[in-house]
Amino acid sequence: AQSVTQPDIHITVSEGASLELRCNYSYGATPYLFWYVQSPGQGLQLLLKYFSGDTLVQGIKGFEAEFKRSQSSFNLRKPSVHWSDAAEYFCAVPNSAQGAQKLVFGQGTRLTINP
Amino acid sequence: DAGITQSPRHKVTETGTPVTLRCHQTENHRYMYWYRQDPGHGLRLIHYSYGVKDTDKGEVSDGYSVSRSKTEDFLLTLESATSSQTSVYFCAISSATYEQYFGPGTRLTVT
């Protein structure tokens, strides 16, 4: 079955520092991959997506992610974080075994920014 | 942003009462979903719809029912609310590319 693992439940970084959030997936073929962000009290917002082609994808808010098939990973990066990036981040992969365009989400990584 | 609204945004209800949450979309997307979000459990799929009157169960469907009589509306009903159904509920929509777009959520408290 498809699954997504986000190994880090909580990460703290200083404002201006670089960021990498990890995501590992289990999937039978080349997957579609997604990162979502959830600010406190808000719904989830799509940050970026990978469907095919260039393995480095750019998203909104200055984020990027790199698909590495050999490592089954899709890590999210940002070169310099801002206080407004404090949020929870979710990685997701299609649950294609059951159709209906369903996604499987990781447990999330909560990002705290130190001033 | 995708046009998705949820109502109500907040609700407090008593154990044993019925509750209906509404999700409304203006995007004409085929697929609609109801999730619940709880600390330590991430997002869990309750029910989903793949067209008008076409619905199916997700991983945590016990105690919930859904209906979709129009493309734009997807209703989630708790027939007899329990304290374990205290949660934040999110609706999402999708077209044919697996991208899901989420509503703002409904915070439900069952006392």
Side-chain angles (χ1 to χ4, degrees):
Chain A
Q2 290 77 8
S3 65
V4 177
T5 301
Q6 295 180 244
D8 304 305
I9 295 174
H10 184 204
I11 284 182
T12 300
V13 299
S14 298
E15 190 168 15
S18 63
L19 172 69
E20 183 169 32
L21 302 182
R22 296 183 290 164
C23 171
N24 294 99
Y25 65 88
S26 169
Y27 197 83
T30 300
Y32 296 164
L33 293 158
F34 303 89
W35 273 102
Y36 286 84
V37 60
Q38 184 181 29
S39 298
Q42 306 293 316
L44 278 71
Q45 181 183 18
L46 181 64
L47 265 182
L48 49 77
K49 61 195 177 192
Y50 171 79
F51 285 168
S52 65
D54 193 346
T55 56
L56 184 64
V57 294
Q58 303 297 318
I60 61 172
K61 303 177 188 280
F63 285 90
E64 66 179 25
E66 186 171 14
F67 168 54
K68 292 186 177 180
R69 184 194 308 275
S70 61
Q71 299 176 21
S72 297
S73 69
F74 189 55
N75 293 350
L76 182 71
R77 302 195 294 245
K78 187 169 185 178
S80 176
V81 298
H82 186 262
W83 64 267
S84 60
D85 293 324
E88 190 148 21
Y89 293 81
F90 295 91
C91 183
V93 65
N95 187 353
S96 66
Q98 300 182 34
Q101 306 286 313
K102 293 189 292 182
L103 294 177
V104 176
F105 289 87
Q107 290 295 304
T109 298
R110 184 161 61 93
L111 175 64
T112 298
I113 307 294
N114 282 338
Chain B
D1 289 342
I4 312 169
T5 56
Q6 293 184 232
S7 58
R9 293 293 313 281
H10 302 271
K11 186 171 183 65
V12 179
T13 192
E14 293 183 349
T15 298
T17 60
V19 177
T20 296
L21 308 183
R22 179 180 184 239
C23 177
H24 178 77
Q25 63 149 328
T26 58
E27 306 296 320
N28 201 35
H29 282 353
R30 177 182 176 187
Y31 303 97
M32 298 185 76
Y33 312 84
W34 277 107
Y35 293 91
R36 61 179 290 174
Q37 186 177 37
D38 305 287
H41 292 278
L43 279 166
R44 293 183 290 176
L45 182 64
I46 305 171
H47 280 281
Y48 62 97
S49 170
Y50 46 96
V52 173
K53 299 192 191 309
D54 293 322
T55 66
D56 206 347
K57 296 178 180 180
E59 61 181 298
V60 290
S61 59
D62 287 349
Y64 302 94
S65 62
V66 289
S67 66
R68 191 171 178 196
S69 59
K70 299 184 291 184
T71 298
E72 58 266 34
D73 289 325
F74 192 33
L75 304 180
L76 176 71
T77 297
L78 291 65
E79 301 291 348
S80 178
T82 68
S83 58
S84 65
Q85 294 175 312
T86 292
S87 186
V88 181
Y89 292 85
F90 288 101
C91 174
I93 64 175
S94 179
S95 58
T97 58
Y98 284 99
E99 295 172 51
Q100 291 187 16
Y101 297 92
F102 285 78
T106 293
R107 184 173 295 277
L108 177 67
T109 302
V110 184
T111 61

Short mmCIF file of all heavy atoms in Angstrom, two decimals, chain B residues 15-78:
data_model
loop_
_atom_site.label_atom_id
_atom_site.label_comp_id
_atom_site.label_asym_id
_atom_site.label_seq_id
_atom_site.Cartn_x
_atom_site.Cartn_y
_atom_site.Cartn_z
N THR B 15 -23.67 15.81 23.12
CA THR B 15 -23.66 14.38 22.79
C THR B 15 -25.07 13.90 22.46
O THR B 15 -26.02 14.23 23.16
CB THR B 15 -23.10 13.57 23.96
OG1 THR B 15 -21.75 13.98 24.21
CG2 THR B 15 -23.11 12.09 23.65
N GLY B 16 -25.17 13.14 21.37
CA GLY B 16 -26.44 12.56 20.98
C GLY B 16 -27.24 13.37 19.98
O GLY B 16 -28.23 12.89 19.44
N THR B 17 -26.83 14.59 19.72
CA THR B 17 -27.56 15.42 18.76
C THR B 17 -27.02 15.21 17.36
O THR B 17 -25.85 14.90 17.18
CB THR B 17 -27.46 16.91 19.12
OG1 THR B 17 -26.08 17.29 19.11
CG2 THR B 17 -28.04 17.18 20.49
N PRO B 18 -27.88 15.37 16.35
CA PRO B 18 -27.39 15.28 14.96
C PRO B 18 -26.73 16.59 14.54
O PRO B 18 -27.12 17.67 14.99
CB PRO B 18 -28.67 15.02 14.17
CG PRO B 18 -29.76 15.63 14.98
CD PRO B 18 -29.32 15.52 16.43
N VAL B 19 -25.72 16.44 13.69
CA VAL B 19 -24.99 17.61 13.20
C VAL B 19 -24.73 17.43 11.71
O VAL B 19 -24.36 16.33 11.27
CB VAL B 19 -23.62 17.75 13.92
CG1 VAL B 19 -22.83 18.92 13.33
CG2 VAL B 19 -23.82 17.92 15.41
N THR B 20 -24.94 18.48 10.95
CA THR B 20 -24.62 18.45 9.51
C THR B 20 -23.66 19.58 9.18
O THR B 20 -23.92 20.74 9.52
CB THR B 20 -25.88 18.56 8.65
OG1 THR B 20 -26.70 17.41 8.87
CG2 THR B 20 -25.51 18.61 7.17
N LEU B 21 -22.58 19.20 8.53
CA LEU B 21 -21.60 20.17 8.05
C LEU B 21 -21.73 20.25 6.53
O LEU B 21 -21.93 19.24 5.86
CB LEU B 21 -20.19 19.74 8.43
CG LEU B 21 -19.94 19.40 9.90
CD1 LEU B 21 -18.47 19.07 10.12
CD2 LEU B 21 -20.39 20.51 10.81
N ARG B 22 -21.58 21.47 6.03
CA ARG B 22 -21.76 21.67 4.59
C ARG B 22 -20.46 22.12 3.95
O ARG B 22 -19.73 22.96 4.48
CB ARG B 22 -22.84 22.71 4.33
CG ARG B 22 -23.10 23.02 2.85
CD ARG B 22 -24.17 24.07 2.69
NE ARG B 22 -24.51 24.33 1.29
CZ ARG B 22 -24.40 25.52 0.72
NH1 ARG B 22 -23.95 26.54 1.41
NH2 ARG B 22 -24.74 25.67 -0.56
N CYS B 23 -20.21 21.58 2.77
CA CYS B 23 -19.10 22.00 1.92
C CYS B 23 -19.68 22.45 0.59
O CYS B 23 -20.46 21.71 -0.02
CB CYS B 23 -18.11 20.87 1.72
SG CYS B 23 -16.75 21.27 0.62
N HIS B 24 -19.28 23.64 0.16
CA HIS B 24 -19.79 24.19 -1.08
C HIS B 24 -18.62 24.60 -1.96
O HIS B 24 -17.70 25.29 -1.50
CB HIS B 24 -20.68 25.41 -0.79
CG HIS B 24 -21.22 26.07 -2.02
ND1 HIS B 24 -22.28 25.55 -2.74
CD2 HIS B 24 -20.84 27.19 -2.67
CE1 HIS B 24 -22.53 26.34 -3.77
NE2 HIS B 24 -21.68 27.34 -3.75
N GLN B 25 -18.65 24.20 -3.23
CA GLN B 25 -17.58 24.57 -4.17
C GLN B 25 -18.16 25.28 -5.39
O GLN B 25 -19.30 25.04 -5.80
CB GLN B 25 -16.82 23.32 -4.64
CG GLN B 25 -17.68 22.33 -5.40
CD GLN B 25 -16.92 21.56 -6.46
OE1 GLN B 25 -15.96 22.07 -7.06
NE2 GLN B 25 -17.34 20.32 -6.71
N THR B 26 -17.35 26.17 -5.95
CA THR B 26 -17.75 26.88 -7.15
C THR B 26 -16.88 26.50 -8.35
O THR B 26 -16.88 27.18 -9.36
CB THR B 26 -17.69 28.41 -6.91
OG1 THR B 26 -16.34 28.75 -6.53
CG2 THR B 26 -18.65 28.83 -5.82
N GLU B 27 -16.10 25.42 -8.21
CA GLU B 27 -15.12 25.04 -9.23
C GLU B 27 -15.62 23.95 -10.17
O GLU B 27 -14.93 23.58 -11.12
CB GLU B 27 -13.83 24.54 -8.55
CG GLU B 27 -13.24 25.52 -7.56
CD GLU B 27 -12.79 26.80 -8.23
OE1 GLU B 27 -12.22 26.73 -9.33
OE2 GLU B 27 -13.02 27.88 -7.67
N ASN B 28 -16.78 23.39 -9.87
CA ASN B 28 -17.34 22.32 -10.70
C ASN B 28 -16.43 21.08 -10.75
O ASN B 28 -16.39 20.35 -11.75
CB ASN B 28 -17.60 22.80 -12.13
CG ASN B 28 -18.63 21.93 -12.85
OD1 ASN B 28 -19.57 21.44 -12.24
ND2 ASN B 28 -18.42 21.70 -14.14
N HIS B 29 -15.69 20.85 -9.67
CA HIS B 29 -14.82 19.67 -9.60
C HIS B 29 -15.63 18.43 -9.32
O HIS B 29 -16.59 18.45 -8.55
CB HIS B 29 -13.75 19.85 -8.54
CG HIS B 29 -12.62 20.74 -8.98
ND1 HIS B 29 -12.49 21.22 -10.26
CD2 HIS B 29 -11.56 21.23 -8.29
CE1 HIS B 29 -11.41 21.95 -10.36
NE2 HIS B 29 -10.83 22.00 -9.18
N ARG B 30 -15.20 17.31 -9.89
CA ARG B 30 -15.93 16.06 -9.75
C ARG B 30 -15.80 15.45 -8.35
O ARG B 30 -16.74 14.90 -7.80
CB ARG B 30 -15.41 15.06 -10.79
CG ARG B 30 -16.05 13.69 -10.69
CD ARG B 30 -15.45 12.73 -11.70
NE ARG B 30 -16.01 11.39 -11.55
CZ ARG B 30 -15.58 10.33 -12.22
NH1 ARG B 30 -14.60 10.45 -13.10
NH2 ARG B 30 -16.14 9.16 -12.02
N TYR B 31 -14.59 15.51 -7.80
CA TYR B 31 -14.32 14.79 -6.56
C TYR B 31 -14.39 15.71 -5.35
O TYR B 31 -13.88 16.84 -5.39
CB TYR B 31 -12.92 14.16 -6.61
CG TYR B 31 -12.71 13.23 -7.77
CD1 TYR B 31 -12.09 13.67 -8.94
CD2 TYR B 31 -13.13 11.90 -7.71
CE1 TYR B 31 -11.90 12.81 -10.01
CE2 TYR B 31 -12.94 11.04 -8.78
CZ TYR B 31 -12.33 11.51 -9.92
OH TYR B 31 -12.14 10.66 -10.99
N MET B 32 -14.99 15.21 -4.31
CA MET B 32 -15.05 15.95 -3.05
C MET B 32 -14.76 15.00 -1.91
O MET B 32 -15.08 13.79 -1.98
CB MET B 32 -16.41 16.64 -2.87
CG MET B 32 -16.72 17.66 -3.95
SD MET B 32 -18.25 18.58 -3.69
CE MET B 32 -17.76 19.72 -2.39
N TYR B 33 -14.18 15.54 -0.83
CA TYR B 33 -13.70 14.70 0.29
C TYR B 33 -14.02 15.38 1.62
O TYR B 33 -14.01 16.61 1.72
CB TYR B 33 -12.17 14.53 0.20
CG TYR B 33 -11.65 14.15 -1.17
CD1 TYR B 33 -11.42 15.12 -2.13
CD2 TYR B 33 -11.39 12.82 -1.49
CE1 TYR B 33 -10.95 14.78 -3.38
CE2 TYR B 33 -10.92 12.47 -2.75
CZ TYR B 33 -10.70 13.46 -3.70
OH TYR B 33 -10.23 13.11 -4.94
N TRP B 34 -14.23 14.56 2.61
CA TRP B 34 -14.29 15.03 3.99
C TRP B 34 -13.18 14.35 4.78
O TRP B 34 -13.04 13.12 4.76
CB TRP B 34 -15.63 14.70 4.64
CG TRP B 34 -16.71 15.67 4.34
CD1 TRP B 34 -17.79 15.51 3.53
CD2 TRP B 34 -16.83 17.00 4.87
NE1 TRP B 34 -18.57 16.63 3.51
CE2 TRP B 34 -18.00 17.56 4.34
CE3 TRP B 34 -16.07 17.77 5.75
CZ2 TRP B 34 -18.44 18.86 4.64
CZ3 TRP B 34 -16.49 19.05 6.06
CH2 TRP B 34 -17.66 19.58 5.51
N TYR B 35 -12.39 15.17 5.47
CA TYR B 35 -11.34 14.70 6.36
C TYR B 35 -11.61 15.20 7.78
O TYR B 35 -12.26 16.22 7.98
CB TYR B 35 -9.98 15.28 5.95
CG TYR B 35 -9.42 14.83 4.62
CD1 TYR B 35 -9.70 15.53 3.46
CD2 TYR B 35 -8.58 13.72 4.55
CE1 TYR B 35 -9.17 15.12 2.24
CE2 TYR B 35 -8.03 13.32 3.33
CZ TYR B 35 -8.33 14.03 2.19
OH TYR B 35 -7.79 13.64 0.99
N ARG B 36 -11.01 14.50 8.73
CA ARG B 36 -10.91 15.04 10.07
C ARG B 36 -9.44 15.12 10.44
O ARG B 36 -8.62 14.30 9.98
CB ARG B 36 -11.70 14.23 11.10
CG ARG B 36 -11.28 12.79 11.27
CD ARG B 36 -12.13 12.10 12.36
NE ARG B 36 -11.81 12.61 13.69
CZ ARG B 36 -12.47 12.27 14.81
NH1 ARG B 36 -13.49 11.42 14.74
NH2 ARG B 36 -12.12 12.78 15.97
N GLN B 37 -9.12 16.14 11.23
CA GLN B 37 -7.74 16.34 11.64
C GLN B 37 -7.68 16.39 13.16
O GLN B 37 -8.34 17.22 13.79
CB GLN B 37 -7.16 17.64 11.06
CG GLN B 37 -5.68 17.81 11.35
CD GLN B 37 -5.11 19.06 10.70
OE1 GLN B 37 -5.76 20.09 10.62
NE2 GLN B 37 -3.87 18.96 10.23
N ASP B 38 -6.88 15.50 13.72
CA ASP B 38 -6.72 15.41 15.16
C ASP B 38 -5.24 15.33 15.49
O ASP B 38 -4.46 14.72 14.75
CB ASP B 38 -7.41 14.14 15.69
CG ASP B 38 -8.87 14.07 15.29
OD1 ASP B 38 -9.66 14.83 15.87
OD2 ASP B 38 -9.20 13.27 14.39
N PRO B 39 -4.84 15.92 16.61
CA PRO B 39 -3.42 15.85 17.01
C PRO B 39 -2.93 14.42 17.08
O PRO B 39 -3.59 13.55 17.64
CB PRO B 39 -3.44 16.51 18.39
CG PRO B 39 -4.64 17.39 18.40
CD PRO B 39 -5.66 16.69 17.56
N GLY B 40 -1.79 14.18 16.48
CA GLY B 40 -1.21 12.84 16.50
C GLY B 40 -1.73 11.89 15.44
O GLY B 40 -1.21 10.79 15.29
N HIS B 41 -2.77 12.32 14.72
CA HIS B 41 -3.35 11.45 13.68
C HIS B 41 -3.28 12.04 12.29
O HIS B 41 -3.64 11.37 11.32
CB HIS B 41 -4.82 11.14 14.01
CG HIS B 41 -5.00 10.29 15.22
ND1 HIS B 41 -4.88 8.91 15.20
CD2 HIS B 41 -5.27 10.62 16.50
CE1 HIS B 41 -5.09 8.44 16.41
NE2 HIS B 41 -5.33 9.45 17.23
N GLY B 42 -2.85 13.25 12.17
CA GLY B 42 -2.78 13.86 10.85
C GLY B 42 -4.17 14.01 10.25
O GLY B 42 -5.17 14.19 10.96
N LEU B 43 -4.24 13.88 8.94
CA LEU B 43 -5.51 13.97 8.22
C LEU B 43 -6.03 12.57 7.94
O LEU B 43 -5.31 11.73 7.41
CB LEU B 43 -5.30 14.66 6.87
CG LEU B 43 -5.23 16.17 6.88
CD1 LEU B 43 -4.69 16.66 5.56
CD2 LEU B 43 -6.60 16.76 7.12
N ARG B 44 -7.28 12.34 8.27
CA ARG B 44 -7.88 11.02 8.00
C ARG B 44 -9.14 11.20 7.17
O ARG B 44 -9.99 12.02 7.49
CB ARG B 44 -8.20 10.31 9.31
CG ARG B 44 -6.95 9.92 10.11
CD ARG B 44 -7.30 9.15 11.37
NE ARG B 44 -7.93 10.00 12.36
CZ ARG B 44 -8.41 9.55 13.53
NH1 ARG B 44 -8.33 8.26 13.82
NH2 ARG B 44 -8.95 10.39 14.38
N LEU B 45 -9.26 10.41 6.14
CA LEU B 45 -10.38 10.51 5.20
C LEU B 45 -11.62 9.84 5.79
O LEU B 45 -11.58 8.68 6.20
CB LEU B 45 -10.00 9.85 3.88
CG LEU B 45 -11.03 9.91 2.76
CD1 LEU B 45 -11.27 11.35 2.33
CD2 LEU B 45 -10.56 9.08 1.56
N ILE B 46 -12.72 10.58 5.81
CA ILE B 46 -13.97 10.06 6.36
C ILE B 46 -14.83 9.46 5.24
O ILE B 46 -15.21 8.29 5.29
CB ILE B 46 -14.76 11.19 7.06
CG1 ILE B 46 -13.91 11.87 8.13
CG2 ILE B 46 -16.04 10.62 7.68
CD1 ILE B 46 -14.55 13.13 8.70
N HIS B 47 -15.17 10.27 4.26
CA HIS B 47 -15.94 9.84 3.11
C HIS B 47 -15.48 10.67 1.91
O HIS B 47 -14.91 11.75 2.08
CB HIS B 47 -17.44 10.10 3.30
CG HIS B 47 -18.17 9.11 4.12
ND1 HIS B 47 -18.59 7.89 3.64
CD2 HIS B 47 -18.59 9.17 5.42
CE1 HIS B 47 -19.24 7.23 4.60
NE2 HIS B 47 -19.24 8.00 5.69
N TYR B 48 -15.79 10.17 0.74
CA TYR B 48 -15.50 10.94 -0.46
C TYR B 48 -16.59 10.73 -1.49
O TYR B 48 -17.41 9.79 -1.37
CB TYR B 48 -14.13 10.60 -1.03
CG TYR B 48 -13.97 9.16 -1.47
CD1 TYR B 48 -14.15 8.80 -2.79
CD2 TYR B 48 -13.61 8.17 -0.55
CE1 TYR B 48 -14.00 7.49 -3.20
CE2 TYR B 48 -13.47 6.85 -0.95
CZ TYR B 48 -13.65 6.52 -2.27
OH TYR B 48 -13.50 5.22 -2.66
N SER B 49 -16.59 11.61 -2.48
CA SER B 49 -17.58 11.53 -3.55
C SER B 49 -16.88 11.65 -4.89
O SER B 49 -15.98 12.47 -5.06
CB SER B 49 -18.61 12.64 -3.40
OG SER B 49 -19.44 12.71 -4.54
N TYR B 50 -17.31 10.82 -5.84
CA TYR B 50 -16.73 10.87 -7.18
C TYR B 50 -17.78 11.29 -8.21
O TYR B 50 -17.58 11.08 -9.41
CB TYR B 50 -16.07 9.55 -7.55
CG TYR B 50 -16.87 8.32 -7.25
CD1 TYR B 50 -17.66 7.72 -8.21
CD2 TYR B 50 -16.83 7.73 -5.98
CE1 TYR B 50 -18.39 6.59 -7.93
CE2 TYR B 50 -17.57 6.60 -5.69
CZ TYR B 50 -18.35 6.03 -6.67
OH TYR B 50 -19.09 4.90 -6.40
N GLY B 51 -18.87 11.87 -7.74
CA GLY B 51 -19.90 12.41 -8.61
C GLY B 51 -21.18 12.57 -7.84
O GLY B 51 -21.30 12.13 -6.68
N VAL B 52 -22.16 13.21 -8.49
CA VAL B 52 -23.46 13.40 -7.84
C VAL B 52 -24.04 12.04 -7.49
O VAL B 52 -24.10 11.13 -8.33
CB VAL B 52 -24.40 14.20 -8.75
CG1 VAL B 52 -25.80 14.24 -8.15
CG2 VAL B 52 -23.87 15.59 -8.98
N LYS B 53 -24.43 11.90 -6.25
CA LYS B 53 -25.02 10.68 -5.68
C LYS B 53 -24.03 9.50 -5.62
O LYS B 53 -24.44 8.38 -5.26
CB LYS B 53 -26.28 10.25 -6.44
CG LYS B 53 -27.41 11.27 -6.43
CD LYS B 53 -28.70 10.69 -6.94
CE LYS B 53 -29.77 11.70 -7.20
NZ LYS B 53 -30.04 12.60 -6.12
N ASP B 54 -22.77 9.72 -5.95
CA ASP B 54 -21.75 8.66 -5.87
C ASP B 54 -20.80 8.96 -4.73
O ASP B 54 -20.00 9.90 -4.82
CB ASP B 54 -20.97 8.57 -7.19
CG ASP B 54 -21.82 8.08 -8.33
OD1 ASP B 54 -22.67 7.20 -8.10
OD2 ASP B 54 -21.63 8.59 -9.46
N THR B 55 -20.91 8.16 -3.68
CA THR B 55 -20.05 8.37 -2.51
C THR B 55 -19.49 7.04 -2.04
O THR B 55 -20.02 5.97 -2.38
CB THR B 55 -20.82 9.04 -1.36
OG1 THR B 55 -21.84 8.15 -0.89
CG2 THR B 55 -21.45 10.35 -1.80
N ASP B 56 -18.44 7.12 -1.24
CA ASP B 56 -17.86 5.90 -0.70
C ASP B 56 -17.17 6.23 0.62
O ASP B 56 -16.92 7.39 0.94
CB ASP B 56 -16.87 5.28 -1.68
CG ASP B 56 -16.72 3.77 -1.48
OD1 ASP B 56 -17.19 3.25 -0.44
OD2 ASP B 56 -16.13 3.11 -2.34
N LYS B 57 -16.88 5.15 1.37
CA LYS B 57 -16.30 5.33 2.69
C LYS B 57 -14.80 5.52 2.62
O LYS B 57 -14.13 4.96 1.76
CB LYS B 57 -16.61 4.09 3.55
CG LYS B 57 -18.08 3.88 3.81
CD LYS B 57 -18.30 2.60 4.62
CE LYS B 57 -19.78 2.38 4.88
NZ LYS B 57 -20.01 1.14 5.66
N GLY B 58 -14.29 6.29 3.59
CA GLY B 58 -12.86 6.39 3.78
C GLY B 58 -12.43 5.52 4.94
O GLY B 58 -13.10 4.56 5.31
N GLU B 59 -11.33 5.89 5.56
CA GLU B 59 -10.75 5.05 6.60
C GLU B 59 -11.41 5.19 7.96
O GLU B 59 -11.28 4.31 8.81
CB GLU B 59 -9.26 5.33 6.72
CG GLU B 59 -8.93 6.76 7.09
CD GLU B 59 -7.42 7.01 7.17
OE1 GLU B 59 -6.76 6.39 8.01
OE2 GLU B 59 -6.94 7.86 6.40
N VAL B 60 -12.15 6.28 8.21
CA VAL B 60 -12.77 6.49 9.52
C VAL B 60 -14.22 6.90 9.35
O VAL B 60 -14.66 7.93 9.84
CB VAL B 60 -12.00 7.54 10.35
CG1 VAL B 60 -10.65 7.01 10.79
CG2 VAL B 60 -11.83 8.85 9.59
N SER B 61 -15.01 6.07 8.68
CA SER B 61 -16.37 6.45 8.31
C SER B 61 -17.42 6.12 9.37
O SER B 61 -18.56 6.61 9.27
CB SER B 61 -16.74 5.77 6.99
OG SER B 61 -16.65 4.35 7.14
N ASP B 62 -17.09 5.30 10.36
CA ASP B 62 -18.11 4.91 11.35
C ASP B 62 -18.66 6.13 12.07
O ASP B 62 -17.92 6.96 12.59
CB ASP B 62 -17.50 3.94 12.37
CG ASP B 62 -17.28 2.56 11.79
OD1 ASP B 62 -17.77 2.30 10.68
OD2 ASP B 62 -16.61 1.75 12.45
N GLY B 63 -20.00 6.22 12.11
CA GLY B 63 -20.65 7.33 12.80
C GLY B 63 -20.92 8.53 11.91
O GLY B 63 -21.50 9.52 12.37
N TYR B 64 -20.52 8.44 10.65
CA TYR B 64 -20.70 9.54 9.70
C TYR B 64 -21.45 9.05 8.46
O TYR B 64 -21.28 7.91 8.04
CB TYR B 64 -19.35 10.09 9.23
CG TYR B 64 -18.44 10.61 10.29
CD1 TYR B 64 -17.46 9.78 10.84
CD2 TYR B 64 -18.52 11.91 10.73
CE1 TYR B 64 -16.59 10.25 11.80
CE2 TYR B 64 -17.65 12.39 11.70
CZ TYR B 64 -16.70 11.55 12.23
OH TYR B 64 -15.84 12.03 13.19
N SER B 65 -22.24 9.95 7.89
CA SER B 65 -22.83 9.69 6.58
C SER B 65 -22.67 10.94 5.73
O SER B 65 -22.42 12.03 6.25
CB SER B 65 -24.31 9.31 6.71
OG SER B 65 -25.04 10.38 7.28
N VAL B 66 -22.81 10.78 4.42
CA VAL B 66 -22.63 11.90 3.50
C VAL B 66 -23.72 11.86 2.45
O VAL B 66 -24.36 10.83 2.21
CB VAL B 66 -21.25 11.90 2.82
CG1 VAL B 66 -20.13 12.23 3.79
CG2 VAL B 66 -21.00 10.59 2.10
N SER B 67 -23.90 13.01 1.82
CA SER B 67 -24.80 13.08 0.67
C SER B 67 -24.29 14.13 -0.29
O SER B 67 -23.71 15.14 0.12
CB SER B 67 -26.23 13.40 1.11
OG SER B 67 -26.30 14.69 1.67
N ARG B 68 -24.54 13.87 -1.56
CA ARG B 68 -24.16 14.81 -2.60
C ARG B 68 -25.27 14.80 -3.66
O ARG B 68 -25.28 13.95 -4.54
CB ARG B 68 -22.81 14.46 -3.22
CG ARG B 68 -22.27 15.58 -4.11
CD ARG B 68 -20.88 15.30 -4.52
NE ARG B 68 -20.34 16.32 -5.40
CZ ARG B 68 -19.27 16.15 -6.14
NH1 ARG B 68 -18.61 15.00 -6.11
NH2 ARG B 68 -18.84 17.12 -6.90
N SER B 69 -26.16 15.75 -3.56
CA SER B 69 -27.30 15.83 -4.49
C SER B 69 -27.01 16.81 -5.63
O SER B 69 -27.72 16.79 -6.65
CB SER B 69 -28.56 16.24 -3.73
OG SER B 69 -28.36 17.50 -3.11
N LYS B 70 -26.00 17.64 -5.46
CA LYS B 70 -25.59 18.57 -6.49
C LYS B 70 -24.07 18.57 -6.58
O LYS B 70 -23.39 18.29 -5.58
CB LYS B 70 -26.06 20.00 -6.16
CG LYS B 70 -27.55 20.17 -6.06
CD LYS B 70 -27.94 21.63 -5.83
CE LYS B 70 -27.53 22.11 -4.46
NZ LYS B 70 -28.01 23.50 -4.20
N THR B 71 -23.54 18.90 -7.75
CA THR B 71 -22.09 18.92 -7.91
C THR B 71 -21.41 19.80 -6.87
O THR B 71 -20.36 19.46 -6.35
CB THR B 71 -21.72 19.43 -9.32
OG1 THR B 71 -22.26 18.54 -10.29
CG2 THR B 71 -20.21 19.52 -9.50
N GLU B 72 -22.03 20.92 -6.54
CA GLU B 72 -21.36 21.91 -5.71
C GLU B 72 -21.45 21.66 -4.21
O GLU B 72 -20.73 22.30 -3.46
CB GLU B 72 -21.89 23.31 -6.04
CG GLU B 72 -23.39 23.49 -5.87
CD GLU B 72 -24.15 23.27 -7.17
OE1 GLU B 72 -23.73 22.41 -7.98
OE2 GLU B 72 -25.17 23.95 -7.36
N ASP B 73 -22.31 20.77 -3.77
CA ASP B 73 -22.51 20.61 -2.33
C ASP B 73 -22.24 19.18 -1.87
O ASP B 73 -22.72 18.21 -2.48
CB ASP B 73 -23.94 21.00 -1.93
CG ASP B 73 -24.19 22.48 -2.02
OD1 ASP B 73 -23.26 23.25 -1.73
OD2 ASP B 73 -25.31 22.87 -2.39
N PHE B 74 -21.52 19.08 -0.75
CA PHE B 74 -21.21 17.78 -0.15
C PHE B 74 -21.45 17.91 1.34
O PHE B 74 -20.78 18.71 2.01
CB PHE B 74 -19.75 17.43 -0.47
CG PHE B 74 -19.36 16.01 -0.18
CD1 PHE B 74 -20.25 14.95 -0.32
CD2 PHE B 74 -18.05 15.71 0.20
CE1 PHE B 74 -19.86 13.64 -0.08
CE2 PHE B 74 -17.65 14.40 0.43
CZ PHE B 74 -18.57 13.37 0.30
N LEU B 75 -22.41 17.17 1.84
CA LEU B 75 -22.83 17.28 3.23
C LEU B 75 -22.28 16.12 4.05
O LEU B 75 -22.33 14.97 3.62
CB LEU B 75 -24.34 17.31 3.34
CG LEU B 75 -25.08 18.39 2.55
CD1 LEU B 75 -26.58 18.27 2.77
CD2 LEU B 75 -24.58 19.76 2.93
N LEU B 76 -21.80 16.44 5.24
CA LEU B 76 -21.34 15.42 6.19
C LEU B 76 -22.27 15.46 7.39
O LEU B 76 -22.46 16.52 7.99
CB LEU B 76 -19.91 15.71 6.63
CG LEU B 76 -19.33 14.78 7.69
CD1 LEU B 76 -19.06 13.40 7.10
CD2 LEU B 76 -18.03 15.36 8.26
N THR B 77 -22.84 14.32 7.75
CA THR B 77 -23.78 14.26 8.87
C THR B 77 -23.27 13.31 9.94
O THR B 77 -22.85 12.19 9.64
CB THR B 77 -25.17 13.80 8.40
OG1 THR B 77 -25.69 14.76 7.48
CG2 THR B 77 -26.13 13.68 9.57
N LEU B 78 -23.30 13.81 11.16
CA LEU B 78 -23.07 12.99 12.33
C LEU B 78 -24.46 12.69 12.89
O LEU B 78 -25.14 13.59 13.39
CB LEU B 78 -22.24 13.72 13.37
CG LEU B 78 -20.76 14.00 13.06
CD1 LEU B 78 -20.57 14.95 11.89
CD2 LEU B 78 -20.06 14.53 14.30
#
